[in-house]
Amino acid sequence: MNPIYERNWVTVTVRRALPGDAEAICAIRNHAIEQSTALWTQTPQSPAEGAAWLAAHLERESAFVADVEGEVAGFAVYGPWRELDGYRHTVEDSVYVREGRHGLGIGSALLNALIGSAREAGHHVMIADIEAENAASIRLHERFGFHHVGTVREVGIKFGRRLDLTIMRLPLT
């Protein structure tokens, strides 16, 4: 899989992630942890933790990176939505774009690759759990056909604020 998208004078190449991408992915994740409400933790990942986290996704073949001009400009993964076996055909997506690279189509290219991969793997539903004020992520998912199924109020906390969780759903089959 190697979809290429052009938008705003950048070429985005999406490919499966490799173990060597762990450092760049960890840096993007840690920026999101430290600067945003996208990840509901305030504890950055160590390089070893980041590599182990990526390894689990590599084993499932569910991790992708967006390359722009030789730089990992974003990554996306999908994994189990819930751990119980009754949820085994439902996956949750995560899409992150490097700071300064937003608005160039990188998130769209990554989400497109994730959806295609999850369909090929035989999954039935993809879920997006999004911090309710993250309008850009909600719009991105809507463009790909995700539907809002609910918002759970005040289930998270970060930076001293209570956070709401918007849940979106995309049928894959």
Side-chain angles (χ1 to χ4, degrees):
M1 178 183 302
N2 188 19
I4 295 177
Y5 300 87
E6 290 187 10
R7 182 176 179 185
N8 294 346
W9 305 286
V10 299
T11 301
V12 180
T13 304
V14 175
R15 62 170 171 77
R16 289 199 184 272
L18 302 168
D21 297 317
E23 183 179 340
I25 290 171
C26 189
I28 294 168
R29 280 179 57 87
N30 281 341
H31 184 271
I33 289 168
E34 294 166 357
Q35 302 295 321
S36 78
T37 56
L39 283 163
W40 292 5
T41 181
Q42 293 181 190
T43 306
Q45 284 189 315
S46 70
E49 290 167 331
W53 176 87
L54 178 59
H57 290 286
L58 294 177
E59 187 175 315
R60 284 191 296 270
E61 298 183 339
S62 64
F64 296 85
V65 296
D67 183 284
V68 175
E69 301 166 350
E71 171 192 53
V72 174
F75 74 91
V77 297
Y78 68 83
W81 182 55
R82 299 285 186 266
E83 293 299 325
L84 298 175
D85 66 348
Y87 297 106
R88 68 186 169 279
H89 299 292
T90 302
V91 293
E92 178 181 5
D93 78 282
S94 294
V95 178
Y96 292 89
V97 175
R98 181 179 295 280
E99 183 66 26
R101 293 294 196 160
H102 295 96
L104 301 174
I106 296 166
S108 293
L110 286 164
L111 186 53
N112 187 58
L114 274 190
I115 292 168
S117 176
R119 280 187 172 130
E120 288 174 18
H123 295 293
H124 181 66
V125 171
M126 184 173 278
I127 299 291
D129 287 334
I130 304 169
E131 194 275 319
E133 292 184 9
N134 188 342
S137 185
I138 291 169
R139 280 193 310 272
L140 170 66
H141 285 82
E142 286 173 342
R143 282 196 308 271
F144 280 85
F146 283 76
H147 295 281
H148 181 268
V149 294
T151 298
V152 188
R153 304 283 179 216
E154 299 183 354
V155 293
I157 190 164
K158 189 166 182 185
F159 305 135
R161 290 181 30 224
R162 299 265 178 213
L163 303 173
D164 298 341
L165 181 69
T166 292
I167 303 169
M168 300 182 79
R169 176 185 180 273
L170 177 71
L172 297 171
T173 55

mmCIF file of all heavy atoms in Angstrom, residues 107-156:
data_model
loop_
_atom_site.group_PDB
_atom_site.id
_atom_site.type_symbol
_atom_site.label_atom_id
_atom_site.label_comp_id
_atom_site.label_asym_id
_atom_site.label_seq_id
_atom_site.Cartn_x
_atom_site.Cartn_y
_atom_site.Cartn_z
ATOM 1 N N GLY A 107 -3.376 14.151 7.566
ATOM 2 C CA GLY A 107 -4.340 13.379 8.355
ATOM 3 C C GLY A 107 -5.297 12.602 7.471
ATOM 4 O O GLY A 107 -5.608 11.442 7.744
ATOM 5 N N SER A 108 -5.747 13.220 6.389
ATOM 6 C CA SER A 108 -6.651 12.538 5.457
ATOM 7 C C SER A 108 -5.974 11.341 4.808
ATOM 8 O O SER A 108 -6.570 10.266 4.677
ATOM 9 C CB SER A 108 -7.134 13.507 4.378
ATOM 10 O OG SER A 108 -7.961 14.495 4.925
ATOM 11 N N ALA A 109 -4.727 11.525 4.378
ATOM 12 C CA ALA A 109 -3.998 10.423 3.747
ATOM 13 C C ALA A 109 -3.824 9.261 4.716
ATOM 14 O O ALA A 109 -4.002 8.095 4.351
ATOM 15 C CB ALA A 109 -2.647 10.925 3.244
ATOM 16 N N LEU A 110 -3.507 9.583 5.966
ATOM 17 C CA LEU A 110 -3.319 8.541 6.968
ATOM 18 C C LEU A 110 -4.625 7.822 7.300
ATOM 19 O O LEU A 110 -4.662 6.588 7.375
ATOM 20 C CB LEU A 110 -2.709 9.139 8.234
ATOM 21 C CG LEU A 110 -1.231 9.511 8.135
ATOM 22 C CD1 LEU A 110 -0.840 10.433 9.279
ATOM 23 C CD2 LEU A 110 -0.365 8.254 8.127
ATOM 24 N N LEU A 111 -5.688 8.582 7.507
ATOM 25 C CA LEU A 111 -6.974 7.955 7.848
ATOM 26 C C LEU A 111 -7.470 7.080 6.698
ATOM 27 O O LEU A 111 -7.999 5.987 6.924
ATOM 28 C CB LEU A 111 -8.014 9.010 8.225
ATOM 29 C CG LEU A 111 -9.347 8.472 8.740
ATOM 30 C CD1 LEU A 111 -9.183 7.482 9.892
ATOM 31 C CD2 LEU A 111 -10.256 9.632 9.150
ATOM 32 N N ASN A 112 -7.273 7.524 5.477
ATOM 33 C CA ASN A 112 -7.654 6.723 4.319
ATOM 34 C C ASN A 112 -6.919 5.375 4.328
ATOM 35 O O ASN A 112 -7.525 4.322 4.094
ATOM 36 C CB ASN A 112 -7.362 7.496 3.031
ATOM 37 C CG ASN A 112 -7.890 6.786 1.817
ATOM 38 O OD1 ASN A 112 -9.071 6.506 1.704
ATOM 39 N ND2 ASN A 112 -6.990 6.469 0.895
ATOM 40 N N ALA A 113 -5.626 5.396 4.613
ATOM 41 C CA ALA A 113 -4.852 4.159 4.670
ATOM 42 C C ALA A 113 -5.328 3.251 5.796
ATOM 43 O O ALA A 113 -5.441 2.033 5.619
ATOM 44 C CB ALA A 113 -3.365 4.480 4.841
ATOM 45 N N LEU A 114 -5.629 3.842 6.960
ATOM 46 C CA LEU A 114 -6.110 3.042 8.094
ATOM 47 C C LEU A 114 -7.412 2.334 7.773
ATOM 48 O O LEU A 114 -7.571 1.146 8.056
ATOM 49 C CB LEU A 114 -6.348 3.943 9.313
ATOM 50 C CG LEU A 114 -5.222 4.268 10.241
ATOM 51 C CD1 LEU A 114 -5.761 4.955 11.486
ATOM 52 C CD2 LEU A 114 -4.425 3.058 10.618
ATOM 53 N N ILE A 115 -8.343 3.081 7.211
ATOM 54 C CA ILE A 115 -9.653 2.495 6.896
ATOM 55 C C ILE A 115 -9.492 1.356 5.904
ATOM 56 O O ILE A 115 -10.064 0.276 6.086
ATOM 57 C CB ILE A 115 -10.616 3.584 6.378
ATOM 58 C CG1 ILE A 115 -10.962 4.561 7.506
ATOM 59 C CG2 ILE A 115 -11.882 2.954 5.782
ATOM 60 C CD1 ILE A 115 -11.672 5.827 7.030
ATOM 61 N N GLY A 116 -8.706 1.579 4.858
ATOM 62 C CA GLY A 116 -8.484 0.522 3.872
ATOM 63 C C GLY A 116 -7.847 -0.714 4.481
ATOM 64 O O GLY A 116 -8.253 -1.850 4.201
ATOM 65 N N SER A 117 -6.864 -0.514 5.332
ATOM 66 C CA SER A 117 -6.193 -1.636 5.978
ATOM 67 C C SER A 117 -7.130 -2.400 6.906
ATOM 68 O O SER A 117 -7.140 -3.630 6.919
ATOM 69 C CB SER A 117 -4.985 -1.120 6.763
ATOM 70 O OG SER A 117 -4.371 -2.166 7.480
ATOM 71 N N ALA A 118 -7.924 -1.669 7.692
ATOM 72 C CA ALA A 118 -8.864 -2.328 8.609
ATOM 73 C C ALA A 118 -9.911 -3.121 7.839
ATOM 74 O O ALA A 118 -10.294 -4.219 8.258
ATOM 75 C CB ALA A 118 -9.530 -1.293 9.515
ATOM 76 N N ARG A 119 -10.354 -2.589 6.702
ATOM 77 C CA ARG A 119 -11.310 -3.337 5.873
ATOM 78 C C ARG A 119 -10.668 -4.608 5.335
ATOM 79 O O ARG A 119 -11.261 -5.688 5.386
ATOM 80 C CB ARG A 119 -11.801 -2.464 4.717
ATOM 81 C CG ARG A 119 -12.863 -1.495 5.124
ATOM 82 C CD ARG A 119 -13.448 -0.749 3.923
ATOM 83 N NE ARG A 119 -14.588 0.026 4.367
ATOM 84 C CZ ARG A 119 -14.779 1.316 4.107
ATOM 85 N NH1 ARG A 119 -13.903 1.979 3.360
ATOM 86 N NH2 ARG A 119 -15.841 1.933 4.563
ATOM 87 N N GLU A 120 -9.447 -4.473 4.812
ATOM 88 C CA GLU A 120 -8.736 -5.651 4.275
ATOM 89 C C GLU A 120 -8.513 -6.707 5.348
ATOM 90 O O GLU A 120 -8.503 -7.897 5.052
ATOM 91 C CB GLU A 120 -7.392 -5.229 3.686
ATOM 92 C CG GLU A 120 -7.504 -4.454 2.388
ATOM 93 C CD GLU A 120 -6.157 -3.936 1.903
ATOM 94 O OE1 GLU A 120 -5.105 -4.439 2.367
ATOM 95 O OE2 GLU A 120 -6.166 -3.020 1.062
ATOM 96 N N ALA A 121 -8.335 -6.274 6.590
ATOM 97 C CA ALA A 121 -8.108 -7.205 7.702
ATOM 98 C C ALA A 121 -9.400 -7.842 8.187
ATOM 99 O O ALA A 121 -9.374 -8.708 9.063
ATOM 100 C CB ALA A 121 -7.413 -6.486 8.851
ATOM 101 N N GLY A 122 -10.548 -7.425 7.642
ATOM 102 C CA GLY A 122 -11.820 -8.035 7.989
ATOM 103 C C GLY A 122 -12.506 -7.453 9.211
ATOM 104 O O GLY A 122 -13.437 -8.061 9.749
ATOM 105 N N HIS A 123 -12.093 -6.273 9.647
ATOM 106 C CA HIS A 123 -12.766 -5.647 10.788
ATOM 107 C C HIS A 123 -14.134 -5.122 10.359
ATOM 108 O O HIS A 123 -14.358 -4.817 9.188
ATOM 109 C CB HIS A 123 -11.906 -4.541 11.385
ATOM 110 C CG HIS A 123 -10.646 -5.082 11.981
ATOM 111 N ND1 HIS A 123 -10.632 -5.882 13.095
ATOM 112 C CD2 HIS A 123 -9.355 -4.971 11.583
ATOM 113 C CE1 HIS A 123 -9.403 -6.229 13.367
ATOM 114 N NE2 HIS A 123 -8.600 -5.693 12.463
ATOM 115 N N HIS A 124 -15.032 -5.021 11.310
ATOM 116 C CA HIS A 124 -16.424 -4.664 11.023
ATOM 117 C C HIS A 124 -16.735 -3.187 11.277
ATOM 118 O O HIS A 124 -17.496 -2.573 10.536
ATOM 119 C CB HIS A 124 -17.362 -5.546 11.854
ATOM 120 C CG HIS A 124 -18.805 -5.291 11.628
ATOM 121 N ND1 HIS A 124 -19.437 -5.538 10.424
ATOM 122 C CD2 HIS A 124 -19.761 -4.785 12.447
ATOM 123 C CE1 HIS A 124 -20.702 -5.205 10.516
ATOM 124 N NE2 HIS A 124 -20.937 -4.742 11.727
ATOM 125 N N VAL A 125 -16.171 -2.605 12.339
ATOM 126 C CA VAL A 125 -16.459 -1.218 12.717
ATOM 127 C C VAL A 125 -15.168 -0.559 13.180
ATOM 128 O O VAL A 125 -14.345 -1.186 13.852
ATOM 129 C CB VAL A 125 -17.502 -1.156 13.862
ATOM 130 C CG1 VAL A 125 -17.647 0.257 14.420
ATOM 131 C CG2 VAL A 125 -18.852 -1.667 13.391
ATOM 132 N N MET A 126 -15.012 0.719 12.825
ATOM 133 C CA MET A 126 -13.920 1.531 13.352
ATOM 134 C C MET A 126 -14.530 2.622 14.219
ATOM 135 O O MET A 126 -15.488 3.280 13.811
ATOM 136 C CB MET A 126 -13.086 2.142 12.227
ATOM 137 C CG MET A 126 -11.874 2.929 12.728
ATOM 138 S SD MET A 126 -10.783 3.476 11.383
ATOM 139 C CE MET A 126 -9.841 1.958 11.120
ATOM 140 N N ILE A 127 -13.962 2.811 15.400
ATOM 141 C CA ILE A 127 -14.411 3.814 16.360
ATOM 142 C C ILE A 127 -13.357 4.906 16.460
ATOM 143 O O ILE A 127 -12.159 4.624 16.443
ATOM 144 C CB ILE A 127 -14.628 3.183 17.756
ATOM 145 C CG1 ILE A 127 -15.702 2.101 17.720
ATOM 146 C CG2 ILE A 127 -14.928 4.241 18.818
ATOM 147 C CD1 ILE A 127 -17.099 2.598 17.488
ATOM 148 N N ALA A 128 -13.814 6.130 16.589
ATOM 149 C CA ALA A 128 -12.922 7.258 16.895
ATOM 150 C C ALA A 128 -13.396 7.861 18.205
ATOM 151 O O ALA A 128 -14.533 8.311 18.305
ATOM 152 C CB ALA A 128 -12.969 8.292 15.777
ATOM 153 N N ASP A 129 -12.532 7.812 19.202
ATOM 154 C CA ASP A 129 -12.797 8.461 20.487
ATOM 155 C C ASP A 129 -12.009 9.772 20.482
ATOM 156 O O ASP A 129 -10.774 9.753 20.496
ATOM 157 C CB ASP A 129 -12.342 7.584 21.652
ATOM 158 C CG ASP A 129 -13.249 6.380 21.877
ATOM 159 O OD1 ASP A 129 -14.432 6.454 21.522
ATOM 160 O OD2 ASP A 129 -12.759 5.378 22.420
ATOM 161 N N ILE A 130 -12.713 10.910 20.457
ATOM 162 C CA ILE A 130 -12.088 12.211 20.225
ATOM 163 C C ILE A 130 -12.476 13.176 21.347
ATOM 164 O O ILE A 130 -13.661 13.272 21.691
ATOM 165 C CB ILE A 130 -12.547 12.793 18.867
ATOM 166 C CG1 ILE A 130 -12.241 11.817 17.740
ATOM 167 C CG2 ILE A 130 -11.907 14.154 18.611
ATOM 168 C CD1 ILE A 130 -12.894 12.183 16.411
ATOM 169 N N GLU A 131 -11.492 13.910 21.857
ATOM 170 C CA GLU A 131 -11.791 14.958 22.823
ATOM 171 C C GLU A 131 -12.774 15.915 22.158
ATOM 172 O O GLU A 131 -12.576 16.353 21.031
ATOM 173 C CB GLU A 131 -10.500 15.679 23.246
ATOM 174 C CG GLU A 131 -10.655 16.534 24.468
ATOM 175 C CD GLU A 131 -11.182 17.922 24.167
ATOM 176 O OE1 GLU A 131 -10.745 18.515 23.172
ATOM 177 O OE2 GLU A 131 -12.023 18.411 24.931
ATOM 178 N N ALA A 132 -13.884 16.191 22.811
ATOM 179 C CA ALA A 132 -15.038 16.841 22.191
ATOM 180 C C ALA A 132 -14.756 18.218 21.602
ATOM 181 O O ALA A 132 -15.479 18.664 20.715
ATOM 182 C CB ALA A 132 -16.190 16.928 23.203
ATOM 183 N N GLU A 133 -13.717 18.905 22.061
ATOM 184 C CA GLU A 133 -13.405 20.224 21.518
ATOM 185 C C GLU A 133 -12.421 20.164 20.349
ATOM 186 O O GLU A 133 -12.049 21.198 19.801
ATOM 187 C CB GLU A 133 -12.870 21.135 22.622
ATOM 188 C CG GLU A 133 -13.934 21.480 23.647
ATOM 189 C CD GLU A 133 -13.439 22.461 24.699
ATOM 190 O OE1 GLU A 133 -12.324 23.019 24.549
ATOM 191 O OE2 GLU A 133 -14.168 22.657 25.674
ATOM 192 N N ASN A 134 -12.023 18.969 19.942
ATOM 193 C CA ASN A 134 -11.085 18.812 18.835
ATOM 194 C C ASN A 134 -11.859 18.826 17.511
ATOM 195 O O ASN A 134 -12.082 17.803 16.871
ATOM 196 C CB ASN A 134 -10.279 17.521 18.999
ATOM 197 C CG ASN A 134 -9.155 17.402 18.003
ATOM 198 O OD1 ASN A 134 -9.135 18.078 16.977
ATOM 199 N ND2 ASN A 134 -8.204 16.528 18.308
ATOM 200 N N ALA A 135 -12.264 20.028 17.119
ATOM 201 C CA ALA A 135 -13.114 20.192 15.933
ATOM 202 C C ALA A 135 -12.436 19.690 14.663
ATOM 203 O O ALA A 135 -13.097 19.129 13.786
ATOM 204 C CB ALA A 135 -13.511 21.658 15.774
ATOM 205 N N ALA A 136 -11.129 19.867 14.544
ATOM 206 C CA ALA A 136 -10.428 19.427 13.331
ATOM 207 C C ALA A 136 -10.505 17.913 13.184
ATOM 208 O O ALA A 136 -10.758 17.402 12.084
ATOM 209 C CB ALA A 136 -8.977 19.896 13.360
ATOM 210 N N SER A 137 -10.308 17.176 14.257
ATOM 211 C CA SER A 137 -10.379 15.720 14.191
ATOM 212 C C SER A 137 -11.803 15.253 13.917
ATOM 213 O O SER A 137 -12.023 14.316 13.146
ATOM 214 C CB SER A 137 -9.854 15.102 15.484
ATOM 215 O OG SER A 137 -9.817 13.697 15.379
ATOM 216 N N ILE A 138 -12.763 15.906 14.528
ATOM 217 C CA ILE A 138 -14.165 15.545 14.280
ATOM 218 C C ILE A 138 -14.509 15.773 12.806
ATOM 219 O O ILE A 138 -15.106 14.909 12.152
ATOM 220 C CB ILE A 138 -15.108 16.320 15.223
ATOM 221 C CG1 ILE A 138 -14.916 15.805 16.658
ATOM 222 C CG2 ILE A 138 -16.567 16.204 14.779
ATOM 223 C CD1 ILE A 138 -15.581 16.642 17.728
ATOM 224 N N ARG A 139 -14.101 16.920 12.242
ATOM 225 C CA ARG A 139 -14.360 17.194 10.816
ATOM 226 C C ARG A 139 -13.667 16.171 9.920
ATOM 227 O O ARG A 139 -14.237 15.706 8.939
ATOM 228 C CB ARG A 139 -13.901 18.607 10.450
ATOM 229 C CG ARG A 139 -14.875 19.689 10.848
ATOM 230 C CD ARG A 139 -14.532 21.027 10.187
ATOM 231 N NE ARG A 139 -13.136 21.412 10.340
ATOM 232 C CZ ARG A 139 -12.634 22.107 11.362
ATOM 233 N NH1 ARG A 139 -13.433 22.509 12.339
ATOM 234 N NH2 ARG A 139 -11.363 22.411 11.417
ATOM 235 N N LEU A 140 -12.421 15.831 10.244
ATOM 236 C CA LEU A 140 -11.692 14.831 9.463
ATOM 237 C C LEU A 140 -12.473 13.527 9.420
ATOM 238 O O LEU A 140 -12.692 12.950 8.355
ATOM 239 C CB LEU A 140 -10.300 14.597 10.073
ATOM 240 C CG LEU A 140 -9.517 13.409 9.512
ATOM 241 C CD1 LEU A 140 -9.148 13.634 8.051
ATOM 242 C CD2 LEU A 140 -8.275 13.148 10.360
ATOM 243 N N HIS A 141 -12.908 13.060 10.564
ATOM 244 C CA HIS A 141 -13.642 11.795 10.618
ATOM 245 C C HIS A 141 -14.986 11.894 9.900
ATOM 246 O O HIS A 141 -15.402 10.950 9.224
ATOM 247 C CB HIS A 141 -13.784 11.330 12.071
ATOM 248 C CG HIS A 141 -12.509 10.778 12.614
ATOM 249 N ND1 HIS A 141 -11.504 11.588 13.108
ATOM 250 C CD2 HIS A 141 -12.053 9.507 12.714
ATOM 251 C CE1 HIS A 141 -10.493 10.829 13.497
ATOM 252 N NE2 HIS A 141 -10.803 9.556 13.280
ATOM 253 N N GLU A 142 -15.663 13.009 10.016
ATOM 254 C CA GLU A 142 -16.928 13.188 9.292
ATOM 255 C C GLU A 142 -16.720 13.088 7.783
ATOM 256 O O GLU A 142 -17.536 12.495 7.070
ATOM 257 C CB GLU A 142 -17.563 14.537 9.640
ATOM 258 C CG GLU A 142 -18.169 14.590 11.013
ATOM 259 C CD GLU A 142 -18.637 15.986 11.417
ATOM 260 O OE1 GLU A 142 -18.213 16.997 10.801
ATOM 261 O OE2 GLU A 142 -19.430 16.054 12.377
ATOM 262 N N ARG A 143 -15.621 13.657 7.278
ATOM 263 C CA ARG A 143 -15.342 13.598 5.833
ATOM 264 C C ARG A 143 -15.180 12.168 5.348
ATOM 265 O O ARG A 143 -15.418 11.880 4.180
ATOM 266 C CB ARG A 143 -14.082 14.406 5.498
ATOM 267 C CG ARG A 143 -14.311 15.895 5.459
ATOM 268 C CD ARG A 143 -13.181 16.645 4.757
ATOM 269 N NE ARG A 143 -11.860 16.351 5.242
ATOM 270 C CZ ARG A 143 -11.246 16.982 6.245
ATOM 271 N NH1 ARG A 143 -11.862 17.959 6.888
ATOM 272 N NH2 ARG A 143 -10.027 16.635 6.608
ATOM 273 N N PHE A 144 -14.787 11.274 6.233
ATOM 274 C CA PHE A 144 -14.609 9.877 5.858
ATOM 275 C C PHE A 144 -15.827 9.015 6.195
ATOM 276 O O PHE A 144 -15.766 7.795 6.097
ATOM 277 C CB PHE A 144 -13.340 9.306 6.501
ATOM 278 C CG PHE A 144 -12.103 9.690 5.742
ATOM 279 C CD1 PHE A 144 -11.489 10.903 5.979
ATOM 280 C CD2 PHE A 144 -11.583 8.866 4.761
ATOM 281 C CE1 PHE A 144 -10.361 11.287 5.276
ATOM 282 C CE2 PHE A 144 -10.462 9.229 4.040
ATOM 283 C CZ PHE A 144 -9.843 10.452 4.295
ATOM 284 N N GLY A 145 -16.923 9.647 6.581
ATOM 285 C CA GLY A 145 -18.164 8.913 6.799
ATOM 286 C C GLY A 145 -18.432 8.478 8.221
ATOM 287 O O GLY A 145 -19.419 7.778 8.475
ATOM 288 N N PHE A 146 -17.593 8.862 9.160
ATOM 289 C CA PHE A 146 -17.861 8.544 10.563
ATOM 290 C C PHE A 146 -19.076 9.343 11.023
ATOM 291 O O PHE A 146 -19.255 10.496 10.636
ATOM 292 C CB PHE A 146 -16.674 8.936 11.448
ATOM 293 C CG PHE A 146 -15.513 7.990 11.405
ATOM 294 C CD1 PHE A 146 -14.643 7.977 10.319
ATOM 295 C CD2 PHE A 146 -15.262 7.138 12.469
ATOM 296 C CE1 PHE A 146 -13.551 7.137 10.288
ATOM 297 C CE2 PHE A 146 -14.161 6.290 12.451
ATOM 298 C CZ PHE A 146 -13.311 6.288 11.353
ATOM 299 N N HIS A 147 -19.902 8.724 11.860
ATOM 300 C CA HIS A 147 -21.087 9.375 12.410
ATOM 301 C C HIS A 147 -20.939 9.509 13.921
ATOM 302 O O HIS A 147 -20.445 8.603 14.595
ATOM 303 C CB HIS A 147 -22.352 8.581 12.078
ATOM 304 C CG HIS A 147 -22.641 8.540 10.618
ATOM 305 N ND1 HIS A 147 -23.230 9.581 9.942
ATOM 306 C CD2 HIS A 147 -22.391 7.591 9.700
ATOM 307 C CE1 HIS A 147 -23.333 9.274 8.671
ATOM 308 N NE2 HIS A 147 -22.826 8.069 8.496
ATOM 309 N N HIS A 148 -21.404 10.631 14.423
ATOM 310 C CA HIS A 148 -21.387 10.901 15.863
ATOM 311 C C HIS A 148 -22.400 9.973 16.527
ATOM 312 O O HIS A 148 -23.563 9.937 16.141
ATOM 313 C CB HIS A 148 -21.766 12.369 16.088
ATOM 314 C CG HIS A 148 -21.754 12.789 17.507
ATOM 315 N ND1 HIS A 148 -22.875 12.730 18.290
ATOM 316 C CD2 HIS A 148 -20.764 13.267 18.285
ATOM 317 C CE1 HIS A 148 -22.576 13.170 19.500
ATOM 318 N NE2 HIS A 148 -21.303 13.507 19.523
ATOM 319 N N VAL A 149 -21.941 9.212 17.507
ATOM 320 C CA VAL A 149 -22.865 8.311 18.207
ATOM 321 C C VAL A 149 -23.113 8.741 19.642
ATOM 322 O O VAL A 149 -24.009 8.207 20.290
ATOM 323 C CB VAL A 149 -22.404 6.835 18.155
ATOM 324 C CG1 VAL A 149 -22.440 6.318 16.741
ATOM 325 C CG2 VAL A 149 -21.038 6.648 18.771
ATOM 326 N N GLY A 150 -22.320 9.699 20.121
ATOM 327 C CA GLY A 150 -22.573 10.185 21.469
ATOM 328 C C GLY A 150 -21.397 10.960 22.017
ATOM 329 O O GLY A 150 -20.279 10.881 21.502
ATOM 330 N N THR A 151 -21.679 11.711 23.053
ATOM 331 C CA THR A 151 -20.639 12.420 23.787
ATOM 332 C C THR A 151 -20.824 12.104 25.258
ATOM 333 O O THR A 151 -21.922 12.247 25.797
ATOM 334 C CB THR A 151 -20.707 13.943 23.536
ATOM 335 O OG1 THR A 151 -20.486 14.192 22.147
ATOM 336 C CG2 THR A 151 -19.662 14.688 24.357
ATOM 337 N N VAL A 152 -19.768 11.652 25.866
ATOM 338 C CA VAL A 152 -19.781 11.316 27.280
ATOM 339 C C VAL A 152 -19.114 12.480 28.013
ATOM 340 O O VAL A 152 -17.960 12.816 27.739
ATOM 341 C CB VAL A 152 -19.033 9.992 27.549
ATOM 342 C CG1 VAL A 152 -19.228 9.563 28.993
ATOM 343 C CG2 VAL A 152 -19.507 8.900 26.593
ATOM 344 N N ARG A 153 -19.864 13.103 28.885
ATOM 345 C CA ARG A 153 -19.416 14.329 29.551
ATOM 346 C C ARG A 153 -18.472 14.039 30.722
ATOM 347 O O ARG A 153 -18.692 13.112 31.511
ATOM 348 C CB ARG A 153 -20.620 15.127 30.072
ATOM 349 C CG ARG A 153 -21.636 15.463 29.008
ATOM 350 C CD ARG A 153 -21.177 16.604 28.138
ATOM 351 N NE ARG A 153 -22.181 16.866 27.104
ATOM 352 C CZ ARG A 153 -21.866 17.240 25.883
ATOM 353 N NH1 ARG A 153 -20.626 17.435 25.529
ATOM 354 N NH2 ARG A 153 -22.819 17.454 24.995
ATOM 355 N N GLU A 154 -17.420 14.849 30.780
ATOM 356 C CA GLU A 154 -16.508 14.911 31.919
ATOM 357 C C GLU A 154 -15.928 13.558 32.332
ATOM 358 O O GLU A 154 -15.807 13.245 33.502
ATOM 359 C CB GLU A 154 -17.194 15.590 33.100
ATOM 360 C CG GLU A 154 -17.612 17.007 32.797
ATOM 361 C CD GLU A 154 -18.242 17.725 33.976
ATOM 362 O OE1 GLU A 154 -18.477 17.098 35.032
ATOM 363 O OE2 GLU A 154 -18.496 18.934 33.833
ATOM 364 N N VAL A 155 -15.498 12.759 31.351
ATOM 365 C CA VAL A 155 -14.922 11.447 31.669
ATOM 366 C C VAL A 155 -13.401 11.469 31.721
ATOM 367 O O VAL A 155 -12.777 10.488 32.120
ATOM 368 C CB VAL A 155 -15.399 10.364 30.678
ATOM 369 C CG1 VAL A 155 -16.884 10.115 30.837
ATOM 370 C CG2 VAL A 155 -15.044 10.719 29.249
ATOM 371 N N GLY A 156 -12.801 12.588 31.311
ATOM 372 C CA GLY A 156 -11.348 12.713 31.359
ATOM 373 C C GLY A 156 -10.946 13.996 32.051
ATOM 374 O O GLY A 156 -11.775 14.886 32.279
#
